[in-house]
Amino acid sequence: MAIDKIWVVAEATDAGLTTITLELLTAARSLASTVEAVAWGPNTSSNAAQLGEYGVSTVHDVGDLGTALPGAPVAAAIAAAIAAGQAPDAILIPTSYDGRDIAGRLSARADLPVLTNITGLVGGDSLTTQHPVFGGAQIVSARFTGQGPGIYVIRAKSFAPEPSGGAPAAVSSLAVPDLGATNGAAVVARHVEERTGPKLDEAPVVVSGGRGLGEQANYAMIEELAKLLNGAPGASRAIVDAGWVPYANQVGQTGKTVKPNVYLACGISGATQHMVGMKGSKNIIAVNKDADAPIFTIADLGIVGDVHKVLPALIEALKSR
Amino acid sequence: MNVVVCVKQIPDPAAPQSLEPGTHTLDRSGKLILDDSDAYGVEMALQLAEQAGGGEVTLVSMAPNGETSGLRTALAMGAAKAILVSDDALKGADALTTAKVLAAAIKRAEPDLILTATESSDGYTGTTPVQIAEILGLPSITFAKSVAIDGSTVKVDRQTEAGYDEVTSPLPAVVTVTAGVVEPRYPSFKGIMAAKSKPVETLTLADLGVTNANGQEITSVDDAEARAAGEIVVDEGDGAQRIVAFLEQLKVI
């Protein structure tokens, strides 16, 4: 069965479609002749122009979900459309907090398998997916074996977003069936955490710290360096698990994928978990006291040395410029 | 307050990993340990049961070869008992099959709350918890930074791109916890001894009435494009200057 029609689960904030949504729309356009979107929230109509610009002909609007989390209603609406015979050939979903909820619920509700952590898609009679394993040292290719649309959950920065210049998408409403108890969760308050400097996954420079920093207080050096380089501070899973820094700072398999111009890894040994999230960086600088640390196998510049000496000197040197 | 925690027993991430020839799935034939990510859910469950003034923490796991060493670690932390699903027919099971198996096992424990990690450290599919919720017809809240119980309601601070949301849900519900939701305890010697005699019920697919309908296959495994070798130097007091020079060369500064 050829891939003719793809649905993309399109996430938006008040600022418009998310970057990963634009990436998925661009990928979908290269794989299928018809690209449609599934969207929710209060702004779907106003996002129709941007969706069209990225090649979407029709956006299926699940509606303003109010205080509900999108997972259950969006998945149920898509599953109902599949059951009614309106199934596309593939459904692309962003790897995001809500995207994974939608994918999991849709998989179980429609009894369809799901492939996640996809970083590449190859078209043809069916789609072949690519997944990095062992820190990105190897790429596993996979495909679905059964009938029904495949559910593909794709990691950020797998494709470069490019508009196609299409007309605004037509908006068509997609009904949500009865959800029973599954829709019980409600958002009672939203908190925006203040951030100075660029977002971790959009910053041109990322300075990350790991266990080699020794103690939580030394993470201040990472934050200072990030500020001096107009970058964002990142972290390995080890120090997030240890409670030194929030989960939002985590780079890696379980955290953010980053591809900055410069990635400066400080006191990070380079566990596979971390490498898969930053291996695509254009230039990698590593400082680690262990000459055998795996991070040096992918570093463009590696300093075998003590972060407690190198980082203060680096901060001084940058400040005095 | 009865809490089920889904825990995964995985190959030691610190040991070399390999894919099995043929199936190309992760080789899980060696000794397995408790996934670090699951220690947070176990600790959270123990604290919530304690705060509720009673109830049990039950572990639910799926693993090959009747593996229990990771379960014993979580039992040593204080969980009361475990349900283990182990069946040769589950080899290479996908996330949906895994969720069906775990959901069927969870039902037996009749929990008020089901806790899991956001994803496992070996397969990291990240969809299984929500698939379980959908199969059981329950609400779910993922990426919890904190979890509290108020009567028959669970209150969660949920990680978001912008910060966090306060989310509530009636019980029973599925909640996935991030690292840092609580500080996991180390098992005490007494706990380790007690864990040896705690009940572990071992079930097969037939016991649960689930079949392995794996809907995906791995077609190939290839080496990724290697990065060109860089310059690795030992810091002789000039490490910072070398970084500055490299950044200048890149016109970052």
Side-chain angles (χ1 to χ4, degrees), chain B residues 149-160:
Chain B
I149 302 293
D150 183 2
S152 59
T153 301
V154 59
K155 295 182 165 183
V156 169
D157 285 348
R158 180 185 190 238
Q159 180 80 42
T160 64

Side-chain angles (χ1 to χ4, degrees), chain A residues 260-275:
Chain A
N261 182 27
V262 176
Y263 190 88
L264 177 50
C266 307
I268 290 176
S269 65
T272 56
Q273 140 80 236
H274 187 75
M275 303 243 271

Side-chain angles (χ1 to χ4, degrees), chain A residues 66-88:
Chain A
T67 61
L69 293 173
V74 174
I78 297 173
I82 293 171
Q86 299 166 33

Side-chain angles (χ1 to χ4, degrees), chain A:
Chain A
M1 185 184 68
I3 302 295
D4 293 323
K5 182 160 67 171
I6 291 180
W7 281 10
V8 174
V9 168
E11 287 187 305
T13 65
D14 290 343
L17 300 172
T18 60
T19 305
I20 187 170
T21 297
L22 303 180
E23 293 165 4
L24 267 53
L25 291 172
T26 307
R29 241 168 40 220
S30 73
L31 296 165
S33 51
T34 302
V35 177
E36 297 180 350
V38 177
W40 63 95
N43 303 321
T44 300
S45 293
S46 51
N47 289 333
Q50 197 187 7
L51 287 163
E53 240 175 79
Y54 279 80
V56 173
S57 52
T58 299
V59 52
H60 302 278
D61 182 9
V62 180
D64 186 350
L65 302 175
T67 61
L69 293 173
V74 174
I78 297 173
I82 293 171
Q86 299 166 33
D89 301 309
I91 300 164
L92 310 191
I93 302 179
T95 300
S96 64
Y97 300 113
D98 290 335
R100 296 209 313 192
D101 283 3
I102 294 167
R105 294 241 173 223
L106 174 59
S107 163
R109 194 162 176 122
D111 201 20
L112 292 168
V114 57
L115 284 165
T116 65
N117 291 304
I118 295 167
T119 56
L121 283 169
V122 182
D125 280 348
S126 67
L127 290 181
T128 299
T129 57
Q130 296 175 332
H131 314 250
V133 294
F134 303 139
Q138 289 187 310
I139 306 290
V140 161
S141 297
R143 67 177 172 211
F144 292 113
T145 53
Q147 295 296 311
I151 305 169
Y152 302 87
V153 186
I154 299 168
R155 286 191 75 100
K157 297 189 172 12
S158 299
F159 306 95
E162 267 177 52
S164 63
V171 182
S172 151
S173 87
L174 191 63
V176 178
D178 179 39
L179 298 170
T182 59
N183 201 31
V187 178
V188 294
R190 296 185 196 274
H191 298 266
V192 175
E193 282 170 351
E194 289 298 322
R195 176 174 37 81
T196 55
K199 278 178 73 177
L200 177 56
D201 50 358
E202 289 171 7
V205 176
V206 173
V207 184
S208 280
R211 186 70 86 177
L213 290 172
E215 57 179 314
Q216 186 173 8
N218 289 334
Y219 192 75
M221 292 193 293
I222 300 296
E223 291 173 315
E224 187 167 10
L225 272 174
K227 204 171 165 192
L228 286 165
L229 294 168
N230 298 316
S236 72
R237 176 174 162 180
I239 67 168
V240 173
D241 283 5
W244 295 4
V245 289
Y247 175 74
N249 288 31
Q250 187 171 321
V251 173
Q253 176 179 291
T254 38
K256 291 274 190 313
T257 302
V258 300
K259 289 189 178 176
N261 182 27
V262 176
Y263 190 88
L264 177 50
C266 307
I268 290 176
S269 65
T272 56
Q273 140 80 236
H274 187 75
M275 303 243 271
V276 72
M278 46 65 76
K279 204 185 167 205
S281 304
K282 208 162 169 207
N283 298 285
I284 297 171
I285 306 171
V287 184
N288 199 296
K289 64 173 190 257
D290 176 9
D292 295 326
I295 192 80
F296 288 129
T297 64
I298 62 165
D300 299 292
L301 174 63
I303 306 292
V304 182
D306 187 350
V307 289
H308 304 95
K309 289 182 183 149
V310 177
L311 299 191
L314 182 57
I315 289 168
E316 278 314 305
L318 292 173
K319 271 186 176 168
S320 66
R321 289 175 66 85

Side-chain angles (χ1 to χ4, degrees), chain B:
Chain B
M1 176 86 186
N2 289 319
V3 186
V4 158
V5 188
C6 293
V7 297
K8 192 167 182 184
Q9 304 175 90
I10 64 169
D12 188 344
Q17 312 271 302
S18 65
L19 299 179
E20 287 189 357
T23 62
H24 300 309
T25 54
L26 187 65
D27 185 352
R28 295 187 169 88
S29 59
K31 183 176 183 284
L32 303 179
I33 62 169
L34 180 70
D35 187 340
D36 268 351
S37 307
D38 291 327
Y40 303 94
V42 173
E43 179 64 40
M44 193 75 247
L46 291 170
Q47 291 188 16
L48 292 174
E50 197 175 306
Q51 285 158 18
E56 272 185 343
V57 175
T58 304
L59 310 170
V60 171
S61 189
M62 180 179 120
N65 309 323
E67 178 70 56
T68 60
S69 51
L71 288 175
R72 295 291 171 199
T73 305
L75 290 169
M77 289 174 70
K81 60 186 198 293
I83 301 173
L84 172 68
V85 186
S86 194
D87 196 315
D88 287 346
L90 282 169
K91 199 172 161 61
D94 63 16
L96 182 57
T97 301
T98 305
K100 288 176 183 175
V101 167
L102 294 175
I106 289 165
K107 245 188 206 169
R108 295 179 160 231
E110 296 180 352
D112 303 301
L113 176 68
I114 299 143
L115 295 180
T116 76
T118 56
E119 63 193 30
S120 65
S121 302
D122 61 344
Y124 64 104
T125 308
T127 53
T128 308
V130 179
Q131 287 169 319
I132 290 171
E134 184 69 28
I135 292 164
L136 294 174
L138 296 178
S140 58
I141 307 174
T142 50
F143 291 93
K145 284 157 60 97
S146 76
V147 184
I149 302 293
D150 183 2
S152 59
T153 301
V154 59
K155 295 182 165 183
V156 169
D157 285 348
R158 180 185 190 238
Q159 180 80 42
T160 64
E161 279 298 328
Y164 68 96
D165 288 349
E166 289 175 46
V167 187
T168 63
S169 170
L171 295 174
V174 175
V175 175
T176 79
V177 299
T178 60
V181 69
V182 277
E183 182 65 32
R185 72 192 68 183
Y186 286 103
S188 64
F189 179 71
K190 201 176 146 196
I192 293 167
M193 295 311 287
K196 291 181 196 289
S197 56
K198 285 181 176 173
V200 177
E201 184 184 9
T202 303
L203 302 173
T204 63
L205 280 184
D207 293 332
L208 296 171
V210 179
T211 52
N212 182 4
N214 198 358
Q216 58 206 39
E217 64 177 4
I218 291 172
T219 53
S220 66
V221 180
D222 302 291
D223 286 337
E225 207 176 308
R227 285 183 75 100
E231 187 191 2
I232 312 298
V233 294
V234 175
D235 178 33
E236 306 281 2
D238 60 346
Q241 283 311 322
R242 282 180 177 270
I243 295 174
V244 168
F246 188 62
L247 293 172
E248 279 175 342
Q249 189 192 322
L250 296 173
K251 298 189 168 38
V252 171
I253 53 173

